[in-house]
Amino acid sequence: MVGLALAHTELSGFDAGFSAEELSAQGGVTRFAAEVMRPIGRELDRMTPDTAYQKGSPFWDFHRAFASLGIGSDAIGALDARAAARMEAIVISELGWGDAGLAVSAGAGEMPMRAALASGERELVEMCTGKLGCWAATQPDRGSDGLMLYADERHPGAKGNVGNLRAKFAGDEIVINGQSSAWVSNGCIAEVALLDIAADYGDGFHDEVGNVHGCNIVVPLDLPGIARGKPLAKIGKRALPQGEIYFDGVRVPRRWAVATRDDYPIKHAMAWAHAGTAMSHIAAGLARAAFELALSYTNQRRQGGALLADLQLTQFRLGTIGAKVEAIKAMARHVADYTSTSPQPHPYFTAAGKAFCNAEMLTVVNEALQLFGGLGLTQEYPIEKLLRDARAMQIEDGENNLLLMHFGFLMTRLNREGWGRK
Ligand SMILES: Cc1cc2nc3c(=O)[nH]c(=O)nc-3n(C[C@H](O)[C@H](O)[C@H](O)COP(=O)(O)OP(=O)(O)OC[C@H]3O[C@@H](n4cnc5c(N)ncnc54)[C@H](O)[C@@H]3O)c2cc1C
């Protein structure tokens, strides 16, 4: 009897129906991820933070090679919204499969340029061209609080948190004072920043219900009054430089503000939704990378008189995490599709996607390491690095519990308006 043929798969797993363009992009980015990102990511992981990001380090080789790929935000902009979301899903998850820290460095690196392009301001686009960027939104005293969009999510009577980095608008000028958190991706070495901070437009930092006025400003980071912290030493995502940016009476023209009092809430929401979607795709890529390592290892290691992969317990464990890998990918693509096509997308939904994809990814990586036995704990195999990178992602771009709390809040308010009551 002839057995049923094995299933059709693509590099990304159980996928079908990709266009020729999508397949070609996936192949190209996977090659780049395998040949450039993985070796550089592993090398940076073992370097000390004070050497890893200096001029001449492999970190900059990665960024030069990434720039020459030509897959930045301007390249995808030519596609319609749904096709762009599909293409981003394919590209970003392959970058996450290569190295999650470098993938974020590339993504955060583009945030000022994305804002500049959306503003249509030539001066800002030129300011960002060829420069490594960052997105400075969190501060020492304003972490999760910066992601709270509604007054009735706060403790009763509490006002919104203004934080430690503030802009004062006066006439044609903005004066910026304070510091970002140490967590700003690329912050310690970036050449340009997209600031996402509290603003005083002349009548204080709060509106009538206690929400904080905000602004987005594109700022070159070589201005007088700007200083940096040291690159942060941390458990995972060590290929991603992070560090503080200090502002001491930094004066910039008002025209560099790409979002102010009235359009800030929606632009802040959309920038965060973009980041949450990207984090979901990166989780899909990292989960697959860990799963593939475990799959290959169990097809080589013999215990119990057989290959591990031939033992039914192992097949069950691989089946369990393999299904999660597919579910993470599907959720990430769903979030991306909804966000690109909905008449009213919402960052609390992308936040839920980020939390779900990243939490499930951690369970996949953990079980993949478990399948290696003791060897999984050694630096001989890259699985231990993936676990450390995955751990950092449970807090990055919003701590997972808080993100799910926001999604829960959103659904309770939709229900009060009638949704889910039929
Ligand atoms: C790898 C990585 C990359 C990052 N990149 C960037 C970047 O590019 N730009 C940037 O600006 N920031 C960045 N961050 C910062 C990140 O967004 C914050 O770390 C995150 O939002 C959490 O803030 P926090 O660390 O201040 O924790 P806190 O907000 O202090 O939270 C501490 C704990 O308190 C809980 N908590 C907080 N508020 C509440 C509440 N209201 N109710 C109940 N519990 C609560 C949280 O769930 C958490 O468990 C990055 C972080 C990491 C780890």
Side-chain angles (χ1 to χ4, degrees):
M1 198 172 94
V2 180
L4 182 66
L6 293 178
H8 172 87
T9 52
E10 300 294 355
L11 288 167
S12 45
F14 289 75
D15 284 316
F18 282 174
S19 68
E21 200 184 8
E22 287 170 341
L23 282 175
S24 152
Q26 184 178 58
V29 179
T30 308
R31 231 180 355 267
F32 173 77
E35 292 169 8
V36 178
M37 295 180 84
R38 286 188 167 183
I40 290 181
R42 286 172 197 163
E43 195 178 343
L44 293 173
D45 182 58
R46 296 189 187 185
M47 291 170 76
T48 57
D50 54 339
T51 56
Y53 322 113
Q54 283 185 355
K55 291 262 173 288
S57 93
F59 174 81
W60 293 101
D61 296 338
F62 159 72
H63 274 286
R64 264 190 300 278
F66 180 74
S68 69
L69 272 185
I71 56 169
S73 43
D74 38 347
I76 287 178
L79 302 171
D80 73 49
R82 182 161 253 160
R86 274 178 65 94
M87 188 60 97
E88 274 192 356
I90 290 168
V91 167
I92 298 174
S93 60
E94 293 313 302
L95 296 175
W97 177 86
D99 187 280
L102 292 176
V104 169
S105 181
E110 281 209 317
M111 293 286 277
M113 179 56 112
R114 289 182 76 92
L117 286 169
S119 77
E121 292 295 331
R122 222 184 136 88
E123 180 189 12
L124 296 181
V125 173
E126 280 169 13
M127 191 189 283
C128 297
T129 301
K131 304 269 172 61
L132 183 67
C134 67
W135 180 37
T138 57
Q139 296 132 39
D141 297 324
R142 191 188 193 217
S144 304
D145 280 356
L147 303 176
M148 197 163 286
L149 302 180
Y150 298 98
D152 48 345
E153 285 184 281
R154 288 195 294 274
H155 198 62
K159 279 183 154 188
N161 187 341
V162 173
N164 319 70
L165 183 55
R166 305 162 179 200
K168 278 201 174 228
F169 284 63
D172 289 341
E173 207 174 46
I174 311 169
V175 184
I176 307 163
N177 271 299
Q179 72 162 96
S180 76
S181 75
W183 292 108
V184 174
S185 300
N186 295 338
C188 49
I189 51 167
E191 297 159 294
V192 59
L194 176 65
L195 302 186
D196 190 322
I197 59 177
D200 177 356
Y201 294 95
D203 55 355
F205 285 100
H206 292 98
D207 67 13
E208 59 288 350
V209 293
N211 286 333
V212 177
H213 296 302
C215 67
N216 288 149
I217 316 171
V218 178
V219 181
L221 293 175
D222 56 358
L223 297 179
I226 296 181
R228 313 304 175 89
K230 283 188 174 164
L232 200 59
K234 55 193 195 283
I235 179 176
K237 286 223 157 161
R238 291 166 55 85
L240 171 68
Q242 293 179 279
E244 299 97 342
I245 313 174
Y246 300 93
F247 293 77
D248 183 6
V250 176
R251 292 174 183 277
V252 301
R254 191 184 178 113
R255 64 178 186 279
W256 290 357
V258 291
T260 52
R261 191 182 189 116
D262 294 334
D263 62 350
Y264 169 76
I266 183 69
K267 287 187 175 166
H268 166 70
M270 292 328 300
W272 184 25
H274 170 78
T277 306
M279 285 293 298
S280 304
H281 295 318
I282 292 171
L286 199 163
R288 193 180 101 232
F291 174 69
E292 288 173 358
L293 286 174
L295 194 58
S296 299
Y297 180 75
T298 54
N299 251 326
Q300 292 160 13
R301 171 80 170 162
R302 296 184 74 83
Q303 287 294 287
L307 275 179
L308 283 181
D310 281 338
L311 300 172
Q312 284 188 321
L313 176 61
T314 311
Q315 290 170 2
F316 170 77
R317 293 168 70 186
L318 288 170
T320 304
I321 57 172
K324 285 183 186 238
V325 169
E326 292 296 323
I328 296 165
K329 183 177 66 181
M331 179 62 156
R333 289 182 189 169
H334 172 47
V335 163
D337 186 60
Y338 172 84
T339 304
S340 68
T341 58
S342 164
Q344 201 166 327
H346 200 286
Y348 284 1
F349 177 55
T350 52
K354 183 267 166 178
F356 175 87
C357 292
N358 281 268
E360 289 302 313
M361 176 263 289
L362 185 61
T363 67
V364 169
V365 183
N366 201 36
E367 177 67 340
L369 187 148
Q370 196 81 2
L371 280 162
F372 273 80
L375 275 184
L377 304 171
T378 71
Q379 291 193 335
E380 197 174 328
Y381 290 89
I383 190 75
E384 60 84 28
K385 171 181 178 294
L386 296 190
L387 185 68
R388 289 185 284 108
D389 289 350
R391 190 63 190 82
M393 291 166 72
Q394 311 307 305
I395 297 165
E396 181 174 5
D397 197 41
E399 190 276 328
N400 282 357
N401 291 300
L402 259 280
L403 298 185
L404 290 171
M405 179 192 80
H406 290 314
F407 186 46
F409 170 86
L410 175 67
M411 291 188 294
T412 62
R413 291 329 190 247
L414 284 168
N415 185 260
R416 285 182 199 175
E417 291 181 1
W419 176 72
R421 288 185 175 215
K422 306 249 168 5

Short mmCIF file of all heavy atoms in Angstrom, two decimals, residues 181-221:
data_model
loop_
_atom_site.label_atom_id
_atom_site.label_comp_id
_atom_site.label_asym_id
_atom_site.label_seq_id
_atom_site.Cartn_x
_atom_site.Cartn_y
_atom_site.Cartn_z
N SER A 181 14.09 56.15 29.62
CA SER A 181 14.50 54.97 30.40
C SER A 181 15.76 54.38 29.77
O SER A 181 16.16 54.77 28.66
CB SER A 181 13.39 53.92 30.39
OG SER A 181 13.35 53.26 29.14
N ALA A 182 16.37 53.44 30.49
CA ALA A 182 17.56 52.76 29.96
C ALA A 182 17.17 51.73 28.91
O ALA A 182 18.03 51.11 28.29
CB ALA A 182 18.30 52.07 31.09
N TRP A 183 15.85 51.55 28.69
CA TRP A 183 15.38 50.44 27.84
C TRP A 183 15.23 50.81 26.38
O TRP A 183 14.85 49.96 25.57
CB TRP A 183 14.04 49.94 28.38
CG TRP A 183 14.21 49.27 29.70
CD1 TRP A 183 13.82 49.75 30.91
CD2 TRP A 183 14.87 48.03 29.95
NE1 TRP A 183 14.19 48.86 31.89
CE2 TRP A 183 14.83 47.80 31.32
CE3 TRP A 183 15.50 47.09 29.13
CZ2 TRP A 183 15.39 46.67 31.92
CZ3 TRP A 183 16.05 45.96 29.71
CH2 TRP A 183 15.99 45.77 31.08
N VAL A 184 15.46 52.08 26.04
CA VAL A 184 15.20 52.49 24.66
C VAL A 184 16.13 51.70 23.71
O VAL A 184 17.35 51.79 23.81
CB VAL A 184 15.40 54.01 24.50
CG1 VAL A 184 15.29 54.42 23.03
CG2 VAL A 184 14.39 54.75 25.35
N SER A 185 15.51 50.94 22.83
CA SER A 185 16.27 50.10 21.90
C SER A 185 17.08 51.00 20.96
O SER A 185 16.51 51.92 20.36
CB SER A 185 15.33 49.21 21.09
OG SER A 185 14.60 48.39 21.96
N ASN A 186 18.35 50.76 20.85
CA ASN A 186 19.33 51.56 20.09
C ASN A 186 19.64 52.89 20.79
O ASN A 186 20.45 53.68 20.29
CB ASN A 186 18.87 51.91 18.66
CG ASN A 186 18.71 50.69 17.77
OD1 ASN A 186 19.31 49.65 18.03
ND2 ASN A 186 17.93 50.82 16.71
N GLY A 187 18.98 53.17 21.94
CA GLY A 187 19.05 54.50 22.55
C GLY A 187 20.46 55.01 22.80
O GLY A 187 20.75 56.19 22.58
N CYS A 188 21.37 54.12 23.23
CA CYS A 188 22.70 54.60 23.60
C CYS A 188 23.57 54.93 22.40
O CYS A 188 24.63 55.56 22.56
CB CYS A 188 23.39 53.55 24.49
SG CYS A 188 23.31 51.90 23.80
N ILE A 189 23.15 54.54 21.19
CA ILE A 189 24.00 54.81 20.01
C ILE A 189 23.24 55.41 18.84
O ILE A 189 23.84 55.74 17.82
CB ILE A 189 24.67 53.50 19.51
CG1 ILE A 189 23.61 52.42 19.34
CG2 ILE A 189 25.79 53.05 20.44
CD1 ILE A 189 24.11 51.24 18.56
N ALA A 190 21.91 55.54 18.96
CA ALA A 190 21.11 55.99 17.81
C ALA A 190 21.52 57.39 17.37
O ALA A 190 22.04 58.19 18.16
CB ALA A 190 19.63 55.98 18.18
N GLU A 191 21.26 57.68 16.09
CA GLU A 191 21.63 59.00 15.55
C GLU A 191 20.43 59.93 15.46
O GLU A 191 20.57 61.14 15.33
CB GLU A 191 22.24 58.79 14.15
CG GLU A 191 23.53 57.98 14.20
CD GLU A 191 23.89 57.34 12.88
OE1 GLU A 191 23.15 56.43 12.42
OE2 GLU A 191 24.89 57.74 12.29
N VAL A 192 19.24 59.34 15.52
CA VAL A 192 18.02 60.15 15.46
C VAL A 192 16.95 59.43 16.29
O VAL A 192 16.97 58.19 16.39
CB VAL A 192 17.59 60.36 13.97
CG1 VAL A 192 17.34 59.04 13.27
CG2 VAL A 192 16.38 61.24 13.83
N ALA A 193 16.05 60.21 16.91
CA ALA A 193 15.03 59.59 17.77
C ALA A 193 13.64 60.07 17.37
O ALA A 193 13.47 61.21 16.91
CB ALA A 193 15.28 59.96 19.24
N LEU A 194 12.67 59.17 17.56
CA LEU A 194 11.28 59.59 17.58
C LEU A 194 10.89 59.64 19.05
O LEU A 194 10.84 58.61 19.72
CB LEU A 194 10.39 58.58 16.84
CG LEU A 194 8.89 58.88 16.89
CD1 LEU A 194 8.56 60.19 16.17
CD2 LEU A 194 8.08 57.73 16.28
N LEU A 195 10.69 60.86 19.57
CA LEU A 195 10.30 61.00 20.98
C LEU A 195 8.79 60.87 21.09
O LEU A 195 8.04 61.40 20.26
CB LEU A 195 10.72 62.36 21.53
CG LEU A 195 12.20 62.71 21.48
CD1 LEU A 195 12.43 64.03 22.21
CD2 LEU A 195 13.04 61.61 22.10
N ASP A 196 8.35 60.16 22.12
CA ASP A 196 6.92 59.97 22.38
C ASP A 196 6.75 60.34 23.85
O ASP A 196 6.88 59.50 24.75
CB ASP A 196 6.57 58.50 22.11
CG ASP A 196 5.08 58.25 22.13
OD1 ASP A 196 4.40 58.86 22.97
OD2 ASP A 196 4.61 57.42 21.33
N ILE A 197 6.52 61.64 24.12
CA ILE A 197 6.66 62.15 25.49
C ILE A 197 5.54 63.14 25.86
O ILE A 197 4.77 63.56 24.99
CB ILE A 197 8.03 62.87 25.67
CG1 ILE A 197 8.18 64.03 24.68
CG2 ILE A 197 9.17 61.87 25.50
CD1 ILE A 197 9.47 64.82 24.85
N ALA A 198 5.48 63.47 27.14
CA ALA A 198 4.48 64.42 27.63
C ALA A 198 4.79 65.83 27.11
O ALA A 198 5.96 66.19 26.93
CB ALA A 198 4.48 64.43 29.16
N ALA A 199 3.72 66.59 26.89
CA ALA A 199 3.92 67.94 26.35
C ALA A 199 3.05 68.95 27.09
O ALA A 199 1.92 68.66 27.47
CB ALA A 199 3.56 67.95 24.86
N ASP A 200 3.63 70.14 27.28
CA ASP A 200 2.89 71.27 27.85
C ASP A 200 2.74 72.30 26.72
O ASP A 200 3.74 72.82 26.22
CB ASP A 200 3.69 71.84 29.03
CG ASP A 200 3.03 73.08 29.62
OD1 ASP A 200 1.99 73.54 29.07
OD2 ASP A 200 3.57 73.60 30.62
N TYR A 201 1.49 72.55 26.32
CA TYR A 201 1.25 73.48 25.22
C TYR A 201 0.92 74.89 25.75
O TYR A 201 0.41 75.73 25.02
CB TYR A 201 0.11 72.96 24.32
CG TYR A 201 0.51 71.69 23.61
CD1 TYR A 201 0.18 70.44 24.13
CD2 TYR A 201 1.25 71.72 22.43
CE1 TYR A 201 0.56 69.26 23.50
CE2 TYR A 201 1.65 70.55 21.79
CZ TYR A 201 1.30 69.33 22.33
OH TYR A 201 1.70 68.17 21.70
N GLY A 202 1.21 75.11 27.01
CA GLY A 202 0.98 76.43 27.59
C GLY A 202 -0.06 76.40 28.70
O GLY A 202 -0.23 77.37 29.43
N ASP A 203 -0.79 75.26 28.82
CA ASP A 203 -1.81 75.18 29.88
C ASP A 203 -1.61 73.94 30.75
O ASP A 203 -2.56 73.34 31.23
CB ASP A 203 -3.21 75.19 29.26
CG ASP A 203 -3.40 74.08 28.22
OD1 ASP A 203 -2.41 73.39 27.91
OD2 ASP A 203 -4.52 73.89 27.72
N GLY A 204 -0.35 73.52 30.89
CA GLY A 204 -0.05 72.38 31.76
C GLY A 204 -0.01 71.07 30.99
O GLY A 204 -0.31 71.01 29.80
N PHE A 205 0.36 70.00 31.72
CA PHE A 205 0.56 68.71 31.07
C PHE A 205 -0.72 67.87 31.00
O PHE A 205 -0.77 66.89 30.28
CB PHE A 205 1.64 67.91 31.82
CG PHE A 205 3.03 68.41 31.54
CD1 PHE A 205 3.69 69.23 32.46
CD2 PHE A 205 3.69 68.08 30.37
CE1 PHE A 205 4.97 69.71 32.21
CE2 PHE A 205 4.97 68.54 30.10
CZ PHE A 205 5.61 69.36 31.03
N HIS A 206 -1.73 68.24 31.80
CA HIS A 206 -2.93 67.39 31.87
C HIS A 206 -4.14 68.05 31.23
O HIS A 206 -4.28 69.28 31.27
CB HIS A 206 -3.26 67.05 33.33
CG HIS A 206 -2.25 66.18 33.98
ND1 HIS A 206 -1.24 66.68 34.78
CD2 HIS A 206 -2.06 64.83 33.94
CE1 HIS A 206 -0.48 65.67 35.22
NE2 HIS A 206 -0.96 64.55 34.71
N ASP A 207 -5.04 67.21 30.68
CA ASP A 207 -6.31 67.75 30.22
C ASP A 207 -7.33 67.71 31.37
O ASP A 207 -6.98 67.36 32.50
CB ASP A 207 -6.81 67.00 28.96
CG ASP A 207 -7.18 65.54 29.25
OD1 ASP A 207 -7.30 65.17 30.44
OD2 ASP A 207 -7.35 64.77 28.29
N GLU A 208 -8.57 68.02 31.06
CA GLU A 208 -9.57 68.18 32.13
C GLU A 208 -9.88 66.87 32.87
O GLU A 208 -10.33 66.91 34.02
CB GLU A 208 -10.86 68.85 31.58
CG GLU A 208 -11.59 68.14 30.46
CD GLU A 208 -10.87 68.20 29.10
OE1 GLU A 208 -9.87 68.93 28.92
OE2 GLU A 208 -11.32 67.46 28.21
N VAL A 209 -9.62 65.70 32.23
CA VAL A 209 -9.89 64.44 32.96
C VAL A 209 -8.60 63.81 33.49
O VAL A 209 -8.60 62.67 33.96
CB VAL A 209 -10.66 63.41 32.07
CG1 VAL A 209 -12.05 63.90 31.78
CG2 VAL A 209 -9.90 63.06 30.81
N GLY A 210 -7.50 64.57 33.42
CA GLY A 210 -6.25 64.08 34.00
C GLY A 210 -5.38 63.29 33.05
O GLY A 210 -4.34 62.77 33.45
N ASN A 211 -5.79 63.16 31.77
CA ASN A 211 -4.91 62.52 30.79
C ASN A 211 -3.75 63.44 30.46
O ASN A 211 -3.89 64.68 30.51
CB ASN A 211 -5.67 62.19 29.49
CG ASN A 211 -6.61 61.02 29.66
OD1 ASN A 211 -6.39 60.15 30.50
ND2 ASN A 211 -7.68 61.01 28.87
N VAL A 212 -2.61 62.84 30.11
CA VAL A 212 -1.42 63.64 29.81
C VAL A 212 -1.42 64.03 28.33
O VAL A 212 -1.62 63.18 27.46
CB VAL A 212 -0.15 62.81 30.13
CG1 VAL A 212 1.11 63.58 29.77
CG2 VAL A 212 -0.13 62.42 31.61
N HIS A 213 -1.20 65.32 28.06
CA HIS A 213 -0.99 65.73 26.66
C HIS A 213 0.33 65.14 26.19
O HIS A 213 1.31 65.10 26.95
CB HIS A 213 -0.87 67.26 26.54
CG HIS A 213 -2.11 67.99 26.93
ND1 HIS A 213 -3.32 67.78 26.32
CD2 HIS A 213 -2.32 68.96 27.85
CE1 HIS A 213 -4.23 68.57 26.86
NE2 HIS A 213 -3.64 69.31 27.80
N GLY A 214 0.37 64.74 24.94
CA GLY A 214 1.62 64.15 24.44
C GLY A 214 2.06 64.78 23.14
O GLY A 214 1.38 65.65 22.56
N CYS A 215 3.22 64.36 22.68
CA CYS A 215 3.71 64.78 21.37
C CYS A 215 4.70 63.76 20.84
O CYS A 215 5.25 62.97 21.61
CB CYS A 215 4.38 66.16 21.45
SG CYS A 215 5.91 66.15 22.40
N ASN A 216 4.86 63.75 19.54
CA ASN A 216 5.94 62.99 18.88
C ASN A 216 6.83 64.00 18.18
O ASN A 216 6.33 64.85 17.43
CB ASN A 216 5.39 62.03 17.82
CG ASN A 216 4.65 60.84 18.41
OD1 ASN A 216 3.72 60.33 17.80
ND2 ASN A 216 5.06 60.38 19.58
N ILE A 217 8.11 63.90 18.44
CA ILE A 217 9.07 64.82 17.80
C ILE A 217 10.21 63.99 17.21
O ILE A 217 10.70 63.06 17.86
CB ILE A 217 9.67 65.83 18.80
CG1 ILE A 217 8.60 66.40 19.74
CG2 ILE A 217 10.40 66.94 18.08
CD1 ILE A 217 9.16 67.24 20.88
N VAL A 218 10.61 64.32 15.99
CA VAL A 218 11.79 63.69 15.40
C VAL A 218 12.99 64.58 15.73
O VAL A 218 12.99 65.78 15.42
CB VAL A 218 11.64 63.54 13.86
CG1 VAL A 218 12.91 62.94 13.25
CG2 VAL A 218 10.43 62.67 13.53
N VAL A 219 13.99 63.99 16.40
CA VAL A 219 15.12 64.79 16.90
C VAL A 219 16.45 64.14 16.53
O VAL A 219 16.67 62.97 16.88
CB VAL A 219 15.06 64.90 18.45
CG1 VAL A 219 16.21 65.74 18.98
CG2 VAL A 219 13.74 65.49 18.91
N PRO A 220 17.34 64.87 15.85
CA PRO A 220 18.69 64.33 15.64
C PRO A 220 19.42 64.31 16.98
O PRO A 220 19.28 65.25 17.77
CB PRO A 220 19.34 65.32 14.66
CG PRO A 220 18.52 66.56 14.74
CD PRO A 220 17.18 66.22 15.30
N LEU A 221 20.19 63.27 17.23
CA LEU A 221 20.74 63.11 18.58
C LEU A 221 22.16 63.66 18.74
O LEU A 221 22.86 63.30 19.69
CB LEU A 221 20.66 61.63 18.99
CG LEU A 221 19.22 61.14 19.18
CD1 LEU A 221 19.17 59.64 19.48
CD2 LEU A 221 18.48 61.93 20.27
#
